[in-house]
Amino acid sequence: MGLSVRAVFFDLDNTLIDTAGASRKGMLEVIKLLQSKYHYKEEAEIICDKVQVKLSQECLRPSNTCITDQRTSHWEEAIQETKGGAANRKLAEECYFLWKSTRLRHMTLAEDVKAMLTELRKDVCLLLLTNGDRQTQREKIEACACQSYFDAIVVGGEQKEEKPAPSIFHYCCDLLGVQPGDCVMVGDTLETDIQGGLNAGLKATVWINKNGIMPLKSSPMPHYVISSVLELPALLQNIDCKVSMSV
Protein backbone atom coordinates (compact mmCIF):
# COMPACT_ATOMS: atom_id res chain seq x y z
CA MET A 1 0.00 0.00 0.00
CA GLY A 2 1.26 3.51 -0.77
CA LEU A 3 1.67 6.29 1.76
CA SER A 4 -1.34 8.37 0.75
CA VAL A 5 -3.57 6.83 3.46
CA ARG A 6 -1.75 6.85 6.79
CA ALA A 7 -4.62 6.03 9.17
CA VAL A 8 -8.02 4.37 9.15
CA PHE A 9 -10.68 5.20 11.75
CA PHE A 10 -13.23 2.42 12.34
CA ASP A 11 -16.65 2.66 13.91
CA LEU A 12 -17.45 -0.31 16.21
CA ASP A 13 -21.19 -1.06 16.33
CA ASN A 14 -22.55 -2.79 13.21
CA THR A 15 -19.27 -2.03 11.45
CA LEU A 16 -16.81 -4.42 13.14
CA ILE A 17 -19.26 -6.26 15.41
CA ASP A 18 -22.91 -7.22 14.86
CA THR A 19 -24.41 -5.17 17.68
CA ALA A 20 -27.93 -5.31 16.25
CA GLY A 21 -27.80 -9.11 15.91
CA ALA A 22 -26.40 -9.51 19.44
CA SER A 23 -29.15 -7.27 20.80
CA ARG A 24 -31.83 -9.35 19.04
CA LYS A 25 -30.42 -12.50 20.65
CA GLY A 26 -30.62 -10.77 24.03
CA MET A 27 -34.26 -9.86 23.43
CA LEU A 28 -35.09 -13.47 22.47
CA GLU A 29 -33.65 -14.68 25.79
CA VAL A 30 -35.80 -12.16 27.68
CA ILE A 31 -38.90 -13.28 25.78
CA LYS A 32 -38.15 -16.90 26.79
CA LEU A 33 -37.68 -15.84 30.43
CA LEU A 34 -40.94 -13.87 30.55
CA GLN A 35 -42.90 -16.68 28.91
CA SER A 36 -41.46 -19.63 30.84
CA LYS A 37 -40.87 -18.18 34.31
CA TYR A 38 -43.56 -15.49 34.47
CA HIS A 39 -46.14 -17.00 32.07
CA TYR A 40 -46.39 -13.90 29.89
CA LYS A 41 -47.76 -14.66 26.44
CA GLU A 42 -47.72 -12.13 23.58
CA GLU A 43 -46.94 -9.40 26.16
CA ALA A 44 -43.33 -10.62 26.27
CA GLU A 45 -42.69 -9.57 22.68
CA ILE A 46 -44.59 -6.29 23.13
CA ILE A 47 -42.38 -5.42 26.12
CA CYS A 48 -39.20 -6.13 24.15
CA ASP A 49 -40.44 -4.06 21.21
CA LYS A 50 -41.14 -1.15 23.55
CA VAL A 51 -37.66 -1.40 25.08
CA GLN A 52 -36.11 -1.45 21.60
CA VAL A 53 -37.87 1.84 20.81
CA LYS A 54 -36.67 3.37 24.09
CA LEU A 55 -33.09 2.28 23.35
CA SER A 56 -33.24 3.85 19.90
CA GLN A 57 -34.38 7.15 21.42
CA GLU A 58 -31.61 7.39 24.04
CA CYS A 59 -29.47 9.71 21.91
CA LEU A 60 -32.48 12.03 21.47
CA ARG A 61 -33.07 12.23 25.20
CA PRO A 62 -29.73 12.27 27.02
CA SER A 63 -29.96 11.28 30.66
CA ASN A 64 -27.85 12.28 33.66
CA THR A 65 -28.51 8.92 35.35
CA CYS A 66 -26.04 6.06 34.97
CA ILE A 67 -26.67 3.77 32.02
CA THR A 68 -27.62 0.81 34.25
CA ASP A 69 -30.37 2.82 35.96
CA GLN A 70 -31.52 4.37 32.70
CA ARG A 71 -31.83 1.04 30.89
CA THR A 72 -33.40 -0.74 33.85
CA SER A 73 -36.01 2.05 33.77
CA HIS A 74 -36.66 1.29 30.07
CA TRP A 75 -37.63 -2.26 31.06
CA GLU A 76 -39.61 -1.10 34.11
CA GLU A 77 -41.62 1.37 32.01
CA ALA A 78 -42.19 -1.12 29.19
CA ILE A 79 -43.46 -3.79 31.61
CA GLN A 80 -45.77 -1.32 33.35
CA GLU A 81 -47.07 0.13 30.06
CA THR A 82 -47.86 -3.38 28.82
CA LYS A 83 -49.09 -5.14 31.97
CA GLY A 84 -50.40 -2.24 34.05
CA GLY A 85 -50.29 -2.36 37.84
CA ALA A 86 -47.44 -1.28 40.10
CA ALA A 87 -43.89 -0.83 38.81
CA ASN A 88 -41.76 -3.96 39.12
CA ARG A 89 -38.12 -2.87 39.44
CA LYS A 90 -36.92 -6.35 40.40
CA LEU A 91 -38.30 -7.93 37.21
CA ALA A 92 -36.97 -5.00 35.18
CA GLU A 93 -33.46 -5.61 36.57
CA GLU A 94 -33.71 -9.33 35.79
CA CYS A 95 -34.70 -8.57 32.18
CA TYR A 96 -32.06 -5.89 31.71
CA PHE A 97 -29.16 -7.95 33.02
CA LEU A 98 -30.21 -11.01 30.99
CA TRP A 99 -30.45 -8.89 27.83
CA LYS A 100 -27.14 -7.20 28.52
CA SER A 101 -25.16 -10.36 29.36
CA THR A 102 -26.54 -12.24 26.34
CA ARG A 103 -25.80 -9.28 24.07
CA LEU A 104 -22.20 -8.95 25.29
CA ARG A 105 -21.65 -12.70 24.90
CA HIS A 106 -22.54 -12.44 21.20
CA MET A 107 -20.39 -9.39 20.52
CA THR A 108 -17.38 -10.97 18.86
CA LEU A 109 -14.87 -9.98 16.22
CA ALA A 110 -15.15 -12.49 13.39
CA GLU A 111 -11.93 -14.30 12.45
CA ASP A 112 -11.88 -12.77 8.96
CA VAL A 113 -12.27 -9.29 10.47
CA LYS A 114 -9.36 -9.97 12.86
CA ALA A 115 -7.22 -11.11 9.94
CA MET A 116 -8.12 -8.02 7.91
CA LEU A 117 -7.25 -5.65 10.79
CA THR A 118 -3.95 -7.45 11.38
CA GLU A 119 -2.96 -7.11 7.71
CA LEU A 120 -4.06 -3.49 7.42
CA ARG A 121 -2.09 -2.51 10.50
CA LYS A 122 1.13 -3.54 8.76
CA ASP A 123 0.67 -0.52 6.45
CA VAL A 124 -1.46 2.05 8.28
CA CYS A 125 -2.40 3.14 11.80
CA LEU A 126 -5.78 1.88 12.98
CA LEU A 127 -8.02 3.74 15.42
CA LEU A 128 -11.36 2.69 16.88
CA LEU A 129 -13.78 5.63 17.14
CA THR A 130 -17.10 4.79 18.76
CA ASN A 131 -19.94 6.99 20.00
CA GLY A 132 -21.88 6.16 23.13
CA ASP A 133 -21.90 5.94 26.88
CA ARG A 134 -18.45 5.27 28.34
CA GLN A 135 -19.43 2.21 30.40
CA THR A 136 -21.49 0.62 27.61
CA GLN A 137 -18.83 1.04 24.92
CA ARG A 138 -15.93 -0.05 27.15
CA GLU A 139 -17.88 -3.21 28.05
CA LYS A 140 -18.36 -3.97 24.34
CA ILE A 141 -14.67 -3.36 23.62
CA GLU A 142 -13.77 -5.73 26.45
CA ALA A 143 -16.32 -8.33 25.30
CA CYS A 144 -15.08 -8.46 21.71
CA ALA A 145 -11.42 -8.23 22.82
CA CYS A 146 -10.49 -5.83 20.03
CA GLN A 147 -7.97 -3.65 21.91
CA SER A 148 -4.88 -5.33 20.51
CA TYR A 149 -5.87 -4.63 16.89
CA PHE A 150 -5.76 -0.83 17.27
CA ASP A 151 -3.14 1.83 17.85
CA ALA A 152 -5.70 3.89 19.78
CA ILE A 153 -9.31 3.67 20.97
CA VAL A 154 -11.52 6.74 21.40
CA VAL A 155 -14.97 6.57 23.03
CA GLY A 156 -17.30 9.48 22.33
CA GLY A 157 -18.80 9.40 25.82
CA GLU A 158 -15.35 10.17 27.26
CA GLN A 159 -14.86 13.26 25.07
CA LYS A 160 -16.41 16.74 25.04
CA GLU A 161 -18.13 16.01 21.72
CA GLU A 162 -19.00 12.84 19.79
CA LYS A 163 -19.20 12.10 16.06
CA PRO A 164 -20.08 14.00 13.86
CA ALA A 165 -18.31 16.92 15.61
CA PRO A 166 -14.98 17.70 13.89
CA SER A 167 -13.25 18.06 17.28
CA ILE A 168 -13.28 14.34 18.05
CA PHE A 169 -11.81 13.51 14.64
CA HIS A 170 -9.08 16.11 15.07
CA TYR A 171 -8.36 14.67 18.52
CA CYS A 172 -7.94 11.24 16.87
CA CYS A 173 -5.56 12.72 14.29
CA ASP A 174 -3.48 14.30 17.06
CA LEU A 175 -3.34 10.98 18.93
CA LEU A 176 -1.85 9.27 15.88
CA GLY A 177 0.29 12.21 14.73
CA VAL A 178 -1.44 12.46 11.34
CA GLN A 179 -3.36 15.12 9.40
CA PRO A 180 -7.09 14.82 8.51
CA GLY A 181 -6.07 14.54 4.84
CA ASP A 182 -4.15 11.34 5.71
CA CYS A 183 -7.17 9.56 7.17
CA VAL A 184 -10.17 7.48 6.12
CA MET A 185 -13.33 7.00 8.23
CA VAL A 186 -15.21 3.71 7.95
CA GLY A 187 -18.66 3.23 9.44
CA ASP A 188 -22.29 2.22 8.96
CA THR A 189 -24.02 5.47 9.99
CA LEU A 190 -24.31 8.34 7.53
CA GLU A 191 -25.28 10.94 10.15
CA THR A 192 -22.31 10.33 12.47
CA ASP A 193 -19.51 8.39 10.74
CA ILE A 194 -19.81 9.87 7.27
CA GLN A 195 -20.99 13.36 8.20
CA GLY A 196 -18.26 13.52 10.82
CA GLY A 197 -15.54 12.49 8.39
CA LEU A 198 -16.77 15.12 5.93
CA ASN A 199 -16.96 17.79 8.66
CA ALA A 200 -13.39 17.05 9.74
CA GLY A 201 -11.97 17.15 6.21
CA LEU A 202 -10.74 13.56 6.10
CA LYS A 203 -9.27 12.17 2.86
CA ALA A 204 -12.21 9.81 2.39
CA THR A 205 -15.33 8.41 4.06
CA VAL A 206 -16.44 4.81 3.51
CA TRP A 207 -20.05 3.87 4.23
CA ILE A 208 -20.81 0.24 5.03
CA ASN A 209 -24.26 -0.39 3.59
CA LYS A 210 -24.91 -4.04 4.46
CA ASN A 211 -28.56 -4.04 3.50
CA GLY A 212 -28.43 -2.02 0.29
CA ILE A 213 -30.39 0.87 1.83
CA MET A 214 -31.23 3.81 -0.42
CA PRO A 215 -30.22 6.92 1.55
CA LEU A 216 -32.37 10.02 1.71
CA LYS A 217 -31.46 12.85 -0.67
CA SER A 218 -30.71 15.00 2.37
CA SER A 219 -28.23 12.42 3.77
CA PRO A 220 -24.50 13.12 3.70
CA MET A 221 -22.80 11.65 0.64
CA PRO A 222 -19.91 9.23 1.35
CA HIS A 223 -16.91 9.07 -0.97
CA TYR A 224 -17.24 5.28 -1.20
CA VAL A 225 -19.85 2.61 -0.40
CA ILE A 226 -19.12 -1.05 0.39
CA SER A 227 -21.42 -3.82 1.61
CA SER A 228 -18.93 -5.38 4.04
CA VAL A 229 -15.94 -4.12 6.01
CA LEU A 230 -13.97 -6.98 4.42
CA GLU A 231 -14.06 -5.10 1.11
CA LEU A 232 -12.01 -2.28 2.65
CA PRO A 233 -8.42 -3.41 1.84
CA ALA A 234 -9.12 -3.55 -1.90
CA LEU A 235 -10.81 -0.15 -1.71
CA LEU A 236 -7.83 1.40 0.11
CA GLN A 237 -5.53 0.14 -2.66
CA ASN A 238 -7.88 1.80 -5.13
CA ILE A 239 -7.81 5.11 -3.22
CA ASP A 240 -4.01 4.98 -3.27
CA CYS A 241 -3.95 4.29 -7.02
CA LYS A 242 -6.26 7.21 -7.72
CA VAL A 243 -4.11 9.55 -5.62
CA SER A 244 -0.90 8.39 -7.37
CA MET A 245 -2.47 8.86 -10.81
CA SER A 246 -3.74 12.35 -9.98
CA VAL A 247 -0.28 13.33 -8.73
Side-chain angles (χ1 to χ4, degrees):
M1 198 179 293
L3 292 174
S4 84
V5 175
R6 294 184 58 202
V8 180
F9 301 166
F10 284 94
D11 172 52
L12 177 64
D13 294 300
N14 302 308
T15 294
L16 294 175
I17 59 172
D18 183 11
T19 306
S23 193
R24 280 194 298 273
K25 285 172 180 166
M27 291 296 183
L28 288 172
E29 287 303 310
V30 175
I31 288 169
K32 279 190 220 166
L33 170 81
L34 291 173
Q35 289 177 340
S36 61
K37 185 174 174 182
Y38 295 98
H39 309 297
Y40 286 23
K41 295 189 174 73
E42 62 277 358
E43 304 102 319
E45 290 185 33
I46 294 167
I47 288 165
C48 287
D49 288 345
K50 284 179 181 288
V51 170
Q52 196 60 58
V53 171
K54 293 174 192 293
L55 288 167
S56 69
Q57 293 173 341
E58 278 180 355
C59 56
L60 305 176
R61 294 190 234 145
S63 170
N64 295 324
T65 59
C66 83
I67 197 72
T68 299
D69 287 343
Q70 185 185 7
R71 290 188 167 173
T72 302
S73 293
H74 293 338
W75 286 97
E76 187 175 27
E77 289 163 12
I79 292 163
Q80 195 169 21
E81 287 163 12
T82 307
K83 294 288 285 181
N88 190 339
R89 190 75 176 180
K90 193 163 179 297
L91 176 57
E93 286 173 352
E94 189 177 0
C95 291
Y96 168 62
F97 286 110
L98 176 60
W99 171 76
K100 176 182 164 178
S101 62
T102 305
R103 187 168 92 127
L104 286 173
R105 203 166 61 248
H106 286 95
M107 285 185 181
T108 54
L109 270 188
E111 292 303 319
D112 48 8
V113 173
K114 290 179 187 176
M116 179 204 67
L117 293 172
T118 302
E119 281 303 305
L120 274 183
R121 201 166 169 211
K122 293 174 183 176
D123 294 305
V124 295
C125 292
L126 301 185
L127 180 141
L128 185 68
L129 175 55
T130 175
N131 273 5
D133 169 75
R134 178 185 184 281
Q135 179 189 328
T136 304
Q137 297 310 102
R138 287 290 173 187
E139 285 172 348
K140 290 176 189 172
I141 289 162
E142 192 74 31
C144 72
C146 65
Q147 300 96 318
S148 62
Y149 295 93
F150 293 94
D151 297 285
I153 292 175
V154 176
V155 174
E158 297 171 356
Q159 303 298 318
K160 286 179 183 171
E161 296 182 293
E162 296 191 305
K163 299 178 284 187
S167 63
I168 196 167
F169 289 87
H170 295 153
Y171 172 75
C172 293
C173 291
D174 292 344
L175 268 184
L176 298 179
V178 295
Q179 295 300 312
D182 299 326
C183 304
V184 174
M185 178 69 210
V186 183
D188 70 303
T189 308
L190 290 169
E191 296 75 18
T192 52
D193 302 316
I194 304 310
Q195 187 65 65
L198 296 171
N199 290 349
L202 301 195
K203 175 186 285 296
T205 54
V206 181
W207 182 39
I208 298 179
N209 185 5
K210 289 179 188 171
N211 303 315
I213 298 163
M214 187 62 72
L216 299 171
K217 284 184 180 171
S218 58
S219 296
M221 184 69 68
H223 295 92
Y224 302 95
V225 182
I226 54 180
S227 60
S228 162
V229 75
L230 298 173
E231 296 167 29
L232 184 67
L235 175 61
L236 289 177
Q237 295 281 12
N238 193 27
I239 293 172
D240 276 329
C241 288
K242 283 185 179 173
V243 170
S244 312
M245 285 165 71
S246 64
V247 171

